[in-house]
């Protein structure tokens, strides 16, 4: 639709490749829809409900190796159309190479966008980015849309676009389990104005696209035994929330996001009383670059979802500190006054590169400890017996963590 028979060159329709206007339950299946003057697929008006757009290639050549762009958007949902399904697990579309947005949701509600490759091919490796956003929702309050999903295979791959997902208005638009990476700008942008700073007011009480929901603050990310443990705080209205965590090859230049590989999620109840702590654990390695999003849940089990935040700041996972151990136990001993002492209290640290610092309390008069080696040495003072017996305590610190 819009190309020659080989799918190698454009033979454009003057408007859209496929135009669905007030027609319910239409299926658009297994087409090449590229090279058209306006949109690839245009779904319009209140009667256009329950449309299914599955297994199509929209905006590239038939081989999915080069862009063959539609003049505006790959798919545009508009005019109070609703309930459109753009892709399902194992039945997603390639929506790439279009001049403007991959999928544009314009005054359209209750749509589902799942399992698509938006800005790339089905391998997720070829740069076939859409000129603007992979998924875009404009200023006409499109709401209750689901981008991705809670189940395996429901997430979209959104890569190499001008921006990943841009929401300029609307509420209850959930963004779940997508692979979002290598976009020119933010992975998720609420209001199309760059990183939206978290509110400092208790309860995150504001309005705007997705209520400008605060993203999670990650304070630490450590790895031990192949498990990454993350902790931080968040400030949101009272309710249940789903944290999603992502691994990335590199942080976005903004320092926030993106989210290349979904690695886990966890629910959390928040009282709405300001910054509250949270924590989670999932498989990973030291050196991973972790980001997170927060999605408002409508139920305690987090099985139904409302709005999603932007990505958090990216944090690099560090290896958890393993404490040092003393090489030998120091046993009770009796020494006379004026005895020359040289006693090792050295320790070993399994973490390469850590610096050990030694200290001691309760040593007999005349003795001291070398802070760098742990060697206890000196001449027992002639008056030491007056305060005998002594109970000495030796401490070794691993980069500031004592044992």
């Amino acid at each position: 639709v819009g190309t020659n028979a080989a799918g190698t060159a454009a033979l454009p329709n003057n408007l859209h490749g496929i135009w669905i206007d007030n027609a319910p339950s239409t299926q658009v299946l297994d087409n090449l829809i590229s090279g058209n003057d306006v949109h690839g697929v245009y779904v319009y008006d209140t009667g256009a409900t329950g449309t299914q757009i599955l297994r199509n290639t929209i905006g590239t050549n038939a081989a999915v190796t080069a862009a063959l762009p539609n003049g505006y958007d790959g798919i545009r949902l508009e005019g109070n159309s609703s309930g459109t399904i753009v892709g399902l697990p194992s039945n997603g579309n390639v929506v790439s190479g279009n001049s403007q947005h991959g999928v544009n949701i314009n005054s359209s509600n209750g749509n589902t966008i799942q399992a698509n490759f938006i800005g790339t091919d089905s391998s997720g490796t070829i740069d076939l980015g859409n000129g603007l956003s992979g998924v875009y929702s404009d200023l006409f309050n499109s709401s209750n849309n689901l981008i991705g999903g809670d189940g395996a295979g429901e997430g979209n791959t959104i890569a190499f676009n001008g921006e990943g997902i841009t929401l300029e208005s609307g509420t209850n638009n959930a963004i779940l389990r997508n692979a979002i990476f290598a976009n020119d700008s933010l992975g998720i942008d609420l209001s199309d104005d760059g990183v939206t700073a978290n509110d400092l007011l208790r309860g995150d009480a504001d309005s705007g696209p997705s209520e400008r929901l605060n993203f999670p603050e990650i304070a630490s990310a450590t790895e031990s035994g192949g498990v990454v443990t993350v902790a931080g705080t968040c400030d949101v209205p009272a309710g249940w929330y789903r944290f999603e965590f992502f691994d990335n090859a590199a942080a976005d230049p903004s320092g926030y996001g993106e989210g290349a590989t979904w690695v886990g999620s966890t629910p959390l109840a928040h009282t709405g009383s300001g910054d509250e702590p949270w924590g989670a654990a999932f498989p990973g390695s030291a050196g991973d670059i972790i980001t997170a999003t927060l999605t408002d849940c409508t139920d305690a089990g987090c099985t139904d979802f409302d709005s999603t935040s932007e990505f958090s700041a990216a944090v690099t996972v560090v290896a958890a500190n393993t404490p040092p151990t003393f090489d030998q136990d120091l046993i009770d001993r009796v020494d006379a006054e004026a005895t020359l002492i040289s006693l090792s209290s050295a320790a070993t640290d399994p973490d390469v590169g850590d610096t050990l610092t030694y200290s001691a309390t309760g040593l007999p008069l005349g003795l001291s400890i070398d802070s760098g080696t742990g060697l206890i040495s000196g001449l027992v003072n002639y008056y030491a017996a007056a305060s005998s017996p002594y109970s000495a305590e030796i401490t070794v610190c691993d980069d500031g963590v004592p044992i």
Side-chain angles (χ1 to χ4, degrees):
V1 182
T3 76
N4 63 6
T8 58
L11 293 175
N13 293 290
N14 290 336
L15 290 174
H16 318 301
I18 296 175
W19 186 345
I20 301 167
D21 188 338
N22 262 318
S25 303
T26 303
Q27 289 187 317
V28 181
L29 308 176
D30 301 307
N31 301 284
L32 174 64
I33 309 170
S34 301
N36 299 286
D37 283 350
V38 186
H39 309 306
V41 180
Y42 184 56
V43 182
Y44 181 76
D45 217 338
T46 55
T49 60
T51 303
Q52 290 189 332
I53 304 172
L54 306 174
R55 302 190 304 270
N56 300 282
T57 298
I58 304 173
T60 75
N61 62 7
V64 197
T65 57
L68 195 57
N70 294 291
Y72 287 80
D73 304 325
I75 299 171
R76 187 178 179 99
L77 312 178
E78 193 167 40
N80 294 310
S81 61
S82 63
T84 298
I85 294 174
V86 179
L88 289 171
S90 302
N91 289 279
N93 306 279
V94 171
V95 188
S96 302
N98 297 285
S99 297
Q100 295 193 1
H101 308 293
V103 180
N104 187 340
I105 307 171
N106 180 6
S107 64
S108 181
N109 304 305
N111 305 293
T112 299
I113 301 170
Q114 292 182 338
N116 301 287
F117 295 89
I118 303 176
T120 186
D121 70 328
S122 60
S123 73
T125 60
I126 298 179
D127 182 350
L128 297 168
N130 297 287
L132 298 177
S133 298
V135 179
Y136 178 78
S137 178
D138 65 13
L139 296 171
F140 296 98
N141 290 311
S142 298
S143 297
N144 301 309
N145 298 293
L146 176 61
I147 304 170
D150 186 32
E154 293 181 347
N156 303 281
T157 299
I158 303 173
F160 306 112
N161 304 286
E163 195 158 60
I165 297 173
T166 307
L167 304 181
E168 291 214 53
S169 67
T171 59
N172 304 339
N173 293 309
I175 302 169
L176 301 172
R177 271 184 97 156
N178 300 287
I180 303 175
F181 60 93
N183 296 287
D184 294 339
S185 189
L186 296 184
I188 301 172
D189 191 353
L190 305 181
S191 297
D192 197 17
D193 58 358
V195 176
T196 302
N198 280 347
D199 296 328
L200 300 179
L201 298 177
R202 178 176 295 180
D204 184 27
D206 57 1
S207 60
S210 296
E211 297 86 26
R212 292 189 176 91
L213 183 67
N214 282 351
F215 52 77
E217 302 276 0
I218 303 177
S220 63
T222 59
E223 179 270 336
S224 179
V227 175
V228 171
T229 301
V230 291
T233 59
C234 64
D235 181 1
V236 288
W240 280 88
Y241 294 85
R242 172 186 170 106
F243 289 80
E244 288 202 332
F245 304 99
F246 302 86
D247 184 21
N248 301 272
D252 185 82
S254 69
Y256 291 78
E258 298 179 65
T261 304
W262 182 89
V263 292
S265 65
T266 189
L268 177 79
H270 198 286
T271 69
S273 59
D275 267 335
E276 294 182 11
W278 58 268
F282 45 84
S285 305
D288 289 350
I289 298 173
I290 299 299
T291 55
T293 59
L294 196 63
T295 299
D296 186 9
C297 303
T298 62
D299 63 327
C302 273
T303 60
D304 191 46
F305 308 96
D306 279 348
S307 297
T308 297
S309 72
E310 294 181 354
F311 282 107
S312 72
V315 174
T316 301
V317 177
V318 298
N321 182 65
T322 305
T325 56
F326 286 106
D327 295 344
Q328 61 183 1
D329 293 328
L330 299 181
I331 60 175
D332 293 343
R333 58 185 292 153
V334 177
D335 293 291
E337 294 172 342
T339 301
L340 185 63
I341 301 296
S342 181
L343 177 65
S344 174
S345 64
T348 299
D349 193 318
D351 296 331
V352 176
D354 284 354
T355 300
L356 301 184
T357 304
Y358 299 85
S359 61
T361 59
L363 290 174
L365 296 174
L367 301 187
S368 63
I369 188 169
D370 187 305
S371 63
T373 65
L375 180 67
I376 301 169
S377 61
L379 190 70
V380 178
N381 191 285
Y382 284 101
Y383 302 103
S387 300
S388 180
Y390 292 87
S391 179
E393 181 176 277
I394 314 301
T395 301
V396 58
C397 289
D398 173 359
D399 287 348
V401 181
I403 64 166

